[in-house]
Amino acid sequence: MSAASTATTLSVIVPMYNEEEALPALVSSLRPVLDGTGVPYEVLAVDDGSSDRTAELLEKFRTDWPELRIVRLRGNSGHQAALRAGLHSSVGAYVASIDADLQDPPEKIPEMLDLARSESLDIVYGVRSDRSTDTGFKRRTAGAYYWLMRRMVGKQVPAQAGDFRLLSREAVEALKSLPDQHQVYRLLVPWLGFPSGQVTYRRGERVAGETKYPLSKMIRLAVDGITNFSAAPLRIATWLGVISFVTCFVMIAWTLVVFLLGKTVPGWSSLFVAMLFLGGVQLICVGLLGEYIGRIYTAVQRRPTYFIGYDSARDDADKGPGRNGN
C-alpha cells in the first residue's frame, strides 16, 4: 500500500526524540493492533532530530513494515512541532496521535476509530482515568496543569487528556488552516468545538528511556497555552495596576491625615515597602506585556516551526514502483 494513497483510512502519528530503547516494544505492540483493524493505514514516525539510533532503527523496521512512514525533521523542534509536522503530512481519513513510550495503550486506537465512525465524531480523546503508575509529584503537577488550563481556557478542555487522541480529516484540515505559530494541540483541539467523545484508560509505565516532558517543559507548555488561548494574564496585570493605585491612594490619604495631625515621623521603612511594591507590580506587568508582544513578533515573522529533511513517502514516489526503485 502506498503511504500517499487517498484510500488510507487511518494515519497514526508517533512523535519521537531519542527513543531507540522504546522503539522495539512500540513496533511489537502497535503493528498487531493496526493490522487487526482491517483498514488501510499508515504510521508516521516523526523523528524530531534524534541524536541516538532512532533514525537507524526506523529504517530497519521499515524494510519489513511497508505501512511505516518516516518523517525526519532537520533539527529538534519540540514535541508539538513534531506533532504538527505529522498532522500536516498525514493522508488518512482519521488521524490518531500517540507517544512512543507506550504509556498510552495502542489497543485503544481501534476503539477510538470505532467510536468516531459509529457516532460520527470528529474528535475522540484518550482520557487517563488512572495515573497510579506516575509518581506523586507527576500526578500533582499534572493535576495542577489541567486545573489551570480549564480555569484559564475553559471547561471544554478535557481533564487528564493529553495528546493521545483521534481526529477526523475535517478536524485535521481545520487545524492546518489556523495561523498559530506555537500550537498547543491539547488546548487547540477542544477549542474547535467539533463533535467529540472519550475513551478512558489506565496510564501505563514508560516502557523504556526517560520522559521527554520534565517539569521545565510542562511549565513552558503551560505558558504557551495560557498566552496563546487566554488574555487572563493581561487582566491580571490590569488588576495588579488597580490594586497598586488603590494602595498608593490610601497611603497618600493616610500620610496627609497624619501630616495634618502633626504626627509625622520620618522613616524609611514605609517608603521602602512602597517602592518595592510598586516596582514589583510594574515589573510583573511589563513582563506580561512583553510575553504577548513576543508572541506578536513571532507571528509577524511567520517563521516555520519545523523543517522536514526527509519523508520516506516522497522518497518512494521519486523512485517509482518498488521500494528499491526497480
Side-chain angles (χ1 to χ4, degrees):
M1 182 198 70
S2 172
S5 172
T6 56
T8 302
T9 301
L10 178 64
S11 295
V12 179
I13 302 169
V14 189
M16 52 185 65
Y17 175 69
N18 290 346
E19 296 287 3
E20 65 172 337
E21 296 180 27
L23 259 178
L26 172 69
V27 172
S28 63
S29 297
L30 184 61
R31 184 174 184 179
V33 169
L34 297 181
D35 287 343
T37 61
V39 301
Y41 71 87
E42 65 170 354
V43 175
L44 280 81
V46 184
D47 181 5
D48 187 23
S50 298
S51 57
D52 62 358
R53 296 177 60 243
T54 296
E56 177 187 341
L57 290 177
L58 283 173
E59 292 291 351
K60 178 182 176 181
F61 286 122
R62 184 171 173 263
T63 59
D64 186 49
W65 192 7
E67 290 83 7
L68 179 61
R69 176 180 169 190
I70 304 170
V71 176
R72 190 175 304 131
L73 306 188
R74 292 190 178 275
N76 180 230
S77 303
H79 182 270
Q80 296 298 299
L83 189 55
R84 183 178 186 180
L87 288 171
H88 282 242
S89 301
S90 65
V91 298
Y94 292 91
V95 181
S97 56
I98 186 172
D99 289 339
D101 55 17
L102 291 180
Q103 288 190 284
D104 303 324
E107 294 78 15
K108 286 293 179 177
I109 294 177
E111 184 179 339
M112 290 177 168
L113 181 61
D114 290 342
L115 182 62
R117 298 172 85 175
S118 64
E119 299 189 13
S120 300
L121 301 177
D122 289 300
I123 306 168
V124 179
Y125 300 102
V127 177
R128 302 152 184 165
S129 59
D130 184 349
R131 302 191 64 150
S132 58
T133 56
D134 289 336
T135 63
F137 177 76
K138 177 67 174 179
R139 290 197 298 271
R140 286 191 292 271
T141 54
Y145 170 81
Y146 287 109
W147 176 86
L148 180 61
M149 291 303 102
R150 287 168 65 85
R151 293 279 295 183
M152 300 290 281
V153 180
K155 297 294 184 180
Q156 72 270 20
V157 178
Q160 301 301 326
D163 289 314
F164 183 38
R165 69 178 72 86
L166 182 133
L167 305 172
S168 69
R169 174 50 50 184
E170 289 75 12
V172 171
E173 293 302 320
L175 290 172
K176 288 168 63 176
S177 69
L178 298 176
D180 305 56
Q181 293 293 103
H182 297 280
Q183 294 182 339
V184 181
Y185 286 106
R186 62 185 64 185
L187 303 180
L188 194 58
V189 171
W191 173 85
L192 293 175
F194 286 11
S196 64
Q198 298 181 357
V199 298
T200 58
Y201 65 95
R202 180 179 182 273
R203 184 171 170 84
E205 295 183 357
R206 183 177 177 85
V207 67
E210 298 179 353
T211 178
K212 304 305 185 294
Y213 258 113
L215 180 60
S216 59
K217 288 191 176 181
M218 284 297 295
I219 293 174
R220 183 70 257 177
L221 188 68
V223 172
D224 287 343
I226 292 171
T227 53
N228 281 358
F229 289 89
S230 175
L234 291 178
R235 297 191 186 102
I236 292 173
T238 301
W239 281 109
L240 286 174
V242 171
I243 292 171
S244 174
F245 172 78
V246 171
T247 302
C248 290
F249 183 81
V250 171
M251 292 178 65
I252 291 172
W254 177 79
T255 302
L256 290 175
V257 170
V258 172
F259 175 77
L260 292 175
L261 294 176
K263 298 181 179 179
T264 54
V265 178
W268 290 99
S269 58
S270 59
L271 178 63
F272 186 65
V273 170
M275 290 179 62
L276 284 179
F277 177 76
L278 293 175
V281 170
Q282 290 173 355
L283 289 175
I284 290 173
C285 295
V286 170
L288 291 172
L289 291 172
E291 186 71 28
Y292 278 88
I293 291 172
R295 302 282 169 177
I296 296 172
Y297 176 67
T298 301
V300 169
Q301 288 180 318
R302 299 187 65 83
R303 292 177 180 173
T305 55
Y306 64 88
F307 292 97
I308 295 178
Y310 169 75
D311 186 337
S312 60
R314 297 175 187 171
D315 186 56
D316 289 345
D318 291 341
K319 288 179 181 179
R323 173 146 301 174
N324 295 321
N326 295 327

